[in-house]
Amino acid sequence: MSAMTTSERRNTATPPTGPSRKRNSLAKGKLPKWAVPAVAGGSIILGAAGSTLTGFNVATFAIYSAVIFLVAASVATTVVEGKRRGKNATWTYLIYASFILALIPLASVLYTVLEKGLPGMNMHFLFSSMNGITGAVDNQTVENGTPVLGGAYHALMGTLLITLWATVISVPVGMLTAIYLVEYGKNGPLARAITFFVDVMTGIPSIVAGLFAAAFFGLLLGPNSRMGIVAAVALSVLMIPTVVRSTEEMLKIVPNELREASYALGVRRWRTILKVVIPTAISGIASGVTLAIARVIGETAPILVTAGIASNINLNVFANWMSTLPTFIYYQIMTPTSPTNVDPSIQRAWAAALLLILMVMALNLAARLIAKLFAPKKGR
Amino acid sequence: MTTNALTSKSSTSGRAGDKIFSGAALGAGVLILITLFAVAVFLLIQALPTFMADPADISGGAGFLSYIWPIVVGTVIAAAIALLIATPVGLGVALFISHFAPRRIAGPLGYVIDLLAAIPSVIYGAWGYMVLAPALVPGYDWLARNLGFIPIFEGPASQTGKTMLTAGIVLAVMVLPIITSLSREIFLQTPKLHEEAALALGATRWEMITTAVLPFARPGIISATMLGLGRALGETMAVALVLSTGNLIPSLIKSGNQTIAAEIALNFPEAFGLRLAELIAAGLVLFLITLVVNMIARAIIARHKEFSGAN
Amino acid sequence: MKLNRLGSAAAVLSVAALALTACGSDNPTGAAGASASGETPAANAAVSGTLTGIGASSQKSAMEAWITGFKAENPQANVQYSPDGSGAGRKAFLAGGAQFAGSDAYLKPEEAEEAKQVCGPDGAFNVPAYVSPIAVAFNLDGVDELNLDAGTIAKIFKKEITTWNDEAIAKQNPEATLPDTAITVVHRNDESGTTENFVEYLKAAAGDVWTYEVSGDWPSDIQSENAKGTSGVVSTTGSTDGAITYADFSAVGDLSTVNVKVGDEYTKISAEAAAKALETATPVEGAAENDLALDLERDTTEAGTYPIVLLSYHIFCTTYKDQATVDLVKAFGNYAVSAEGQKTASDSAGNAPLSASMEEKAAAAIDSITVAK
């Protein structure tokens, strides 16, 4: 509070002509540069004081300080710079606050994964399967204090292959559908129906998608035909709506002027779409596809009923069971290899989680690279 | 060079290309409809025994409606908490990245947020019950002491922190990257001219956002929220791990309540016969909820169509 | 230009993928060529083929040990087991999607009837394969052991007794210093065989208190804390002072366990006491002669018996369609119930091995499997 009053005094003192300031909003007073840090400092002190009153704790301290700062800084700006700028300041601080608020849990999740995942991350973990690892092996590991044996290579390969096949199925279908909706459908009854049902599809519980794929392949190939490709189909059911939805949004905001310019040059519609519309939107589409892959790469339930679980390496999606990283994590946490000594299993689970995140990171980079290669140069 | 190739080719192979391309696009759309129809038929056939069975045989012994009603309410509450938290925060983060943060750090930030969408729900669940739930216990105690007169904060608070509110917060964290990622892309696509025009007229940054960015992005924001809602409604593993399930109760800080997706996940492995049909029927109900929610969202978007570039 | 760049990127990626594929090792323990150097395989020579089982997750750890041991003796054979759950396992088995099922409950009469469609006129049969005592485990500062009778346990889990220094508890534990901590009951929120066996015990031994129906679902009238899976209840109990739960003995870790009153004595939980519960069990009425389904006597008064036991079965068909499958099923089924198989499993999973006489009966039942006519 004291910071605010001083800044106000300083402000009213410095400008040469008081009354003229009020008429011209452009020339209106501005908070000096040190004012905001000062208010921040003041709120931290007050927040600490307030928190100590009820028994100090980091959470209340942070909350009190943030609220005091938000109010003080907004009021200061409103008083000195006017109502409109005050509102601007309030919202700016709110947006910064929401950003910080969002970072807390996300950072906590990342920290948890790093802290628990890093110890188990080594070459042995990356390049060996769980074949032959039993509870007895884990018990020995704990007794002798030797490094944890067994890795996630089989699950890593399973994730890569199943996700690859799911992407191969869903990206063409999803993108073509989005193109139909935006470029051809033009709000006809069919396009409206597709848009609507794509939205409904986002609400399919993942386990239902898995059961559906299992039942579908069961009809074709006999009961309980579990293999990689069945899982890929189940994941596609979950992935397609995300691809359609994000691609559609991105295509919609491509300005019509670009399409018209292309038509005016005598370019056919399909080439306009392929050469003008999609490249303009490619960055958003790539990000949407990545998001869709990210959405399904962590799915557990549908994989369990479609691809089974394996502890050995299987690189063929058309035969035998497969594990993926999420199913590996799930079973290592829920039913540890050795119930008496769960630590090796927990360590493997978190290391696998870290591995999964690293994989998505690489995927994201690749998507960005693709977007960069295709996107037209822009002024942004 | 590109332009030349475009014009010369399109005159010869163009007509056929156009046909094939539009046919493929149409085919893809129809394929989706067929798939969804097949899923619906599959669900209906599997769920049918539930509706034909004697009400006394259904779990709870009072028919399907009284079985499903509490968990429908639970699902809606969980998703509502998640969206109430995630939508404003997510939009704030998206705006921060697109219009406030310095260019140099905006890119990496967006990248990190995208990554978080990929963390498997098992991990969010494990984080939720190992890290978040215990951390929230003092907060719940405080709520029960000071705001306990409001039914949703009625005490005594759970001592494990595994409550509906915790589940909602975990869902919010899971949904946040989805909302942020999509709306950020849309904010970035706001026509530069509109933004500059607003600023040139003397608008502050916030006024520019309300007059140029938000109206342009509104349908996209709703889409992003709907995608997030889809995930919040259908999320199984995180809720199953975080929530201490039970009967429907108004208090959000006591153990209790249940969501459809978690009910399915928790009981499916041991389910048999009629119980299995019940769970599939519950899945069907979840499907219907999404349908209704989407109808509402569609109606809202339809009113703001004029802002879309393609129309 | 662009295509070129993309092409080279794709090339690099695929080379990297290939390199990665070549690097994986399927032998993380570094065991020398399976058991080729070890003891000679069983007399019936090595079998080959792939056997699929689906079923209870309780057996997962033991199953991993069985599969590893079995594969070491029969390098040509492969067994895959998916711990989807007992219900899912029986369903897949009855649909012909798995050659055997692992189940925490024996086939119900209507399921046994249905089994005749896939298994031939004699249907399917149950073989006990996995026995695990269920501990009543608690986390209470300063108390390492408690003696409780069935009625008190039932009242605690029914939330009729709400503090640890309640008279009913104190009376049975005169030596223990009991704090006035509130009791937090933690139960499984997923349907499970562990819950079913535990409430079956409560119902049989304290029927006047425990009036709920026996099922794998916790009675919905009792609202208390809960968590998913054995690891979930154990960690929730471990992090809450004054919490009590029930869980597989092998998984309770640092938690203290309750000695359960049987007859006039309190029995401490142990593998031997659990195996004894099988001895007092009675065969299920109306079962076929080689069907070893058992009804455990939960209210037994025989001293030294620990009555809260999870008994998990392997369910096989009486006939399979060809000789190769019959050989494979017999070889694996026999291995699992053999003394060696039981020992391997208990080394890994910490469960209780079957008694010698039960092993014999099980082996005889499995040997009766034949090719369908």
Side-chain angles (χ1 to χ4, degrees):
Chain A
M1 284 300 143
S2 65
M4 189 198 89
T5 42
T6 38
S7 70
E8 218 179 335
R9 210 179 309 130
R10 177 68 62 88
N11 249 304
T12 40
T14 31
T17 45
S20 73
R21 208 183 72 227
K22 277 205 178 95
R23 264 179 276 128
N24 185 349
S25 74
L26 277 178
K28 231 179 170 179
K30 247 175 115 47
L31 278 179
K33 272 199 172 146
W34 51 264
V36 173
V39 173
S43 355
I44 288 174
I45 295 168
L46 281 176
S51 172
T52 323
L53 283 180
T54 54
F56 185 80
N57 117 8
V58 181
T60 51
F61 165 51
I63 294 170
Y64 288 166
S65 305
V67 171
I68 294 172
F69 172 76
L70 198 63
V71 174
S74 306
V75 170
T77 319
T78 313
V79 170
V80 180
E81 299 186 8
K83 213 168 147 196
R84 282 177 50 219
R85 282 179 197 281
K87 203 169 166 193
N88 184 43
T90 313
W91 281 100
T92 306
Y93 296 135
L94 273 178
I95 283 169
Y96 276 77
S98 70
F99 176 71
I100 294 166
L101 191 68
L103 275 189
I104 296 169
L106 298 180
S108 166
V109 173
L110 278 187
Y111 175 78
T112 314
V113 174
L114 276 177
E115 187 205 10
K116 306 198 173 198
L118 272 181
M121 194 52 108
N122 54 39
M123 290 317 263
H124 177 78
F125 177 78
L126 283 179
F127 290 111
S128 46
S129 69
M130 284 293 284
N131 200 12
I133 301 290
T134 63
V137 175
D138 274 359
N139 289 344
Q140 282 228 306
T141 303
V142 173
E143 254 167 55
N144 306 337
T146 46
V148 173
L149 290 175
Y153 179 79
H154 61 302
L156 174 64
M157 283 296 134
T159 295
L160 281 176
L161 291 169
I162 290 177
T163 315
L164 178 74
W165 277 98
T167 313
V168 165
I169 298 170
S170 9
V171 170
V173 173
M175 273 181 70
L176 280 171
T177 307
I179 289 170
Y180 176 79
L181 292 178
V182 179
E183 307 291 336
Y184 293 102
K186 289 287 175 208
N187 260 316
L190 184 63
R192 277 210 303 269
I194 293 175
T195 319
F196 179 72
F197 284 109
V198 163
D199 281 350
V200 173
M201 233 171 144
T202 61
I204 297 182
S206 53
I207 177 85
V208 169
L211 292 175
F212 167 72
F216 179 67
F217 277 84
L219 281 180
L220 291 182
L221 306 167
N224 276 296
S225 326
R226 297 186 183 189
M227 50 197 179
I229 194 74
V230 184
V233 168
L235 292 188
S236 302
V237 172
L238 296 170
M239 204 172 151
I240 287 173
T242 320
V243 175
V244 175
R245 215 70 191 82
S246 49
T247 311
E248 191 193 345
E249 288 306 329
M250 292 309 144
L251 292 182
K252 264 189 193 164
I253 51 182
V254 172
N256 264 348
E257 289 84 349
L258 283 183
R259 296 187 180 86
E260 280 151 16
S262 179
Y263 296 150
L265 289 172
V267 180
R268 285 272 170 198
R269 197 168 200 182
W270 68 286
R271 292 190 66 83
T272 306
I273 295 169
L274 280 184
K275 294 280 173 185
V276 178
V277 179
I278 292 184
T280 314
I282 192 77
S283 143
I285 294 176
S287 159
V289 169
T290 322
L291 202 68
I293 295 176
R295 163 88 172 76
V296 298
I297 207 169
E299 277 297 347
T300 321
I303 304 281
L304 295 180
V305 293
T306 50
I309 177 169
S311 56
N312 56 320
I313 300 169
N314 174 17
L315 296 176
N316 184 359
V317 288
F318 296 103
N320 285 331
W321 292 7
M322 258 183 170
S323 272
T324 65
L325 285 171
T327 52
F328 178 74
I329 297 169
Y330 177 74
Y331 277 124
Q332 287 293 316
I333 289 184
M334 296 314 292
T335 49
T337 309
S338 163
T340 16
N341 290 303
V342 295
D343 291 347
S345 285
I346 300 289
Q347 185 186 324
R348 283 192 287 259
W350 286 103
L354 181 58
L355 186 58
L356 190 58
I357 294 176
L358 290 177
M359 257 178 75
V360 179
M361 207 146 108
L363 194 92
N364 221 318
L365 273 179
R368 261 150 215 263
L369 208 72
I370 292 171
K372 231 183 210 146
L373 286 178
F374 285 95
K377 298 277 167 289
K378 280 215 291 188
R380 263 169 201 271
Chain B
M1 177 204 136
T2 341
T3 330
N4 274 343
L6 277 173
T7 40
S8 64
K9 263 195 183 169
S10 64
S11 52
T12 49
S13 66
R15 201 173 293 270
D18 244 353
K19 274 222 169 94
I20 295 169
F21 195 73
S22 67
L26 180 64
V30 172
L31 180 70
I32 289 183
L33 285 186
I34 293 174
T35 311
L36 198 76
F37 180 71
V39 172
V41 167
F42 164 76
L43 280 175
L44 268 178
I45 291 176
Q46 300 272 319
L48 209 57
T50 317
F51 306 115
M52 321 243 282
D54 178 15
D57 293 342
I58 305 279
S59 299
F64 184 65
L65 264 185
S66 70
Y67 163 70
I68 198 78
W69 176 246
I71 57 176
V72 167
V73 177
T75 308
V76 173
I77 295 175
I81 297 174
L83 278 196
L84 277 179
I85 299 173
T87 311
V89 175
L91 293 181
V93 173
L95 275 178
F96 177 79
I97 293 173
S98 67
H99 285 88
F100 285 85
R103 285 292 294 154
R104 231 173 324 128
I105 64 162
L109 278 180
Y111 178 65
V112 169
I113 302 268
D114 281 359
L115 280 189
L116 290 162
I119 298 179
S121 44
V122 182
I123 294 302
Y124 277 115
W127 172 79
Y129 87 84
M130 281 163 41
V131 180
L132 183 68
L136 288 176
V137 171
Y140 291 160
D141 279 337
W142 185 87
L143 282 175
R145 267 201 316 277
N146 297 300
L147 297 171
F149 56 90
I150 307 173
I152 58 169
F153 295 131
E154 193 193 318
S158 158
Q159 286 313 296
T160 56
K162 297 176 67 173
T163 68
M164 199 62 175
L165 196 52
T166 313
I169 294 173
V170 171
L171 285 180
V173 175
M174 295 176 74
V175 164
L176 188 74
I178 295 178
I179 295 182
T180 303
S181 185
L182 200 56
S183 35
R184 179 196 69 216
E185 287 299 329
I186 290 166
F187 291 154
L188 282 174
Q189 300 288 349
T190 314
K192 204 70 184 156
L193 281 176
H194 293 193
E195 292 179 10
E196 280 163 1
L199 290 175
L201 289 173
T204 61
R205 185 144 54 168
W206 174 248
E207 285 164 345
M208 180 270 281
I209 287 169
T210 48
T211 53
V213 179
L214 291 184
F216 173 81
R218 187 169 289 136
I221 293 173
I222 294 172
S223 278
T225 316
M226 285 302 117
L227 270 185
L229 180 66
R231 176 145 198 201
L233 283 176
E235 179 50 46
T236 45
M237 222 46 100
V239 178
L241 288 175
V242 168
L243 185 62
S244 234
T245 55
N247 298 332
L248 182 67
I249 49 164
S251 176
L252 300 178
I253 57 172
K254 288 205 282 198
S255 62
N257 292 324
Q258 173 68 302
T259 72
I260 296 180
E263 170 87 3
I264 298 175
L266 288 172
N267 294 295
F268 186 76
E270 300 294 325
F272 200 79
L274 182 60
R275 182 82 177 110
L276 189 64
E278 261 173 52
L279 294 176
I280 301 268
L284 194 64
V285 171
L286 183 54
F287 208 69
L288 293 177
I289 296 176
T290 330
L291 205 105
V292 172
V293 169
N294 277 304
M295 280 163 102
I296 298 169
R298 280 280 136 203
I300 300 173
I301 294 175
R303 284 203 206 140
H304 297 281
K305 239 186 326 203
E306 64 270 23
F307 292 107
S308 170
N311 289 305
Chain C
M1 279 295 114
K2 278 177 183 173
L3 275 181
N4 262 347
R5 246 186 295 167
L6 199 69
S8 57
V12 169
L13 272 180
S14 49
V15 167
L18 271 180
L20 209 61
T21 318
C23 281
S25 151
D26 228 353
N27 187 11
T29 45
S35 81
S37 55
E39 69 263 58
T40 34
N44 59 350
V47 291
S48 63
T50 297
L51 189 63
T52 300
I54 300 178
S57 56
S58 56
Q59 291 188 28
K60 177 174 171 272
S61 184
M63 190 60 79
E64 277 165 1
W66 285 325
I67 291 174
T68 304
F70 180 69
K71 276 207 264 193
E73 284 186 11
N74 304 279
Q76 302 293 311
N78 186 26
V79 181
Q80 45 189 18
Y81 182 79
S82 184
D84 295 1
S86 304
R90 294 200 302 273
K91 183 166 172 265
F93 174 75
L94 293 178
Q99 276 104 34
F100 73 96
S103 173
D104 292 342
Y106 50 78
L107 286 175
K108 299 182 179 78
E110 68 266 25
E111 291 170 303
E113 198 58 38
E114 204 184 330
K116 289 178 180 164
Q117 285 178 7
V118 281
C119 292
D122 291 332
F125 64 100
N126 311 283
V127 176
Y130 176 87
V131 184
S132 174
I134 299 170
V136 180
F138 60 93
N139 171 15
L140 185 61
D141 252 354
V143 183
D144 295 329
E145 220 175 8
L146 277 181
N147 294 331
L148 295 176
D149 60 21
T152 316
I153 296 176
K155 277 182 193 152
I156 290 175
F157 278 91
K158 208 181 168 183
K159 293 178 88 175
E160 277 177 15
I161 296 176
T162 54
T163 54
W164 282 104
N165 59 359
D166 191 278
E167 200 183 328
I169 303 176
K171 217 166 42 188
Q172 297 178 66
N173 299 279
E175 285 107 79
T177 42
L178 294 166
D180 63 350
T181 315
I183 299 179
T184 306
V185 172
V186 180
H187 66 83
R188 293 277 292 267
N189 65 1
D190 48 339
E191 191 171 347
S192 79
T194 311
T195 304
E196 185 159 5
N197 279 282
F198 180 64
V199 298
E200 199 177 295
Y201 161 75
L202 293 180
K203 178 92 175 169
D208 48 333
V209 183
W210 198 262
T211 48
Y212 308 100
E213 239 175 275
V214 171
S215 97
D217 262 333
W218 190 252
S220 61
D221 294 346
I222 309 172
Q223 178 62 53
S224 66
E225 295 293 333
N226 49 50
K228 179 168 163 57
T230 301
S231 52
V233 288
V234 169
S235 72
T236 303
T237 308
S239 61
T240 314
D241 188 36
I244 186 166
T245 190
Y246 54 92
D248 289 283
F249 181 43
S250 56
V252 295
D254 301 332
L255 300 179
S256 320
T257 53
V258 167
N259 303 331
V260 176
K261 190 172 192 184
V262 178
D264 299 326
E265 285 172 42
Y266 293 94
T267 312
K268 191 173 171 57
I269 185 167
S270 72
E272 296 74 41
K276 225 174 156 186
L278 252 62
E279 303 295 302
T280 60
T282 50
V284 172
E285 263 175 66
E289 58 174 326
N290 56 4
D291 193 336
L292 295 175
L294 294 173
D295 277 327
L296 294 166
E297 201 183 331
R298 305 287 187 183
D299 52 353
T300 178
T301 51
E302 196 159 313
T305 308
Y306 187 82
I308 321 176
V309 170
L310 168 78
L311 176 55
S312 199
Y313 299 90
H314 286 173
I315 301 174
F316 299 103
C317 278
T318 45
T319 60
Y320 289 91
K321 65 178 187 309
D322 55 56
Q323 190 63 42
T325 316
V326 171
D327 288 345
L328 190 59
V329 170
K330 272 187 181 176
F332 180 73
N334 266 321
Y335 176 78
V337 297
S338 69
E340 189 200 337
Q342 287 291 312
K343 187 182 173 313
T344 317
S346 80
D347 283 350
S348 283
N351 60 323
L354 292 173
S355 65
S357 63
M358 187 53 81
E359 278 168 12
E360 248 170 61
K361 275 194 246 173
I366 291 167
D367 276 332
S368 71
I369 297 173
T370 57
V371 179
K373 292 183 187 82

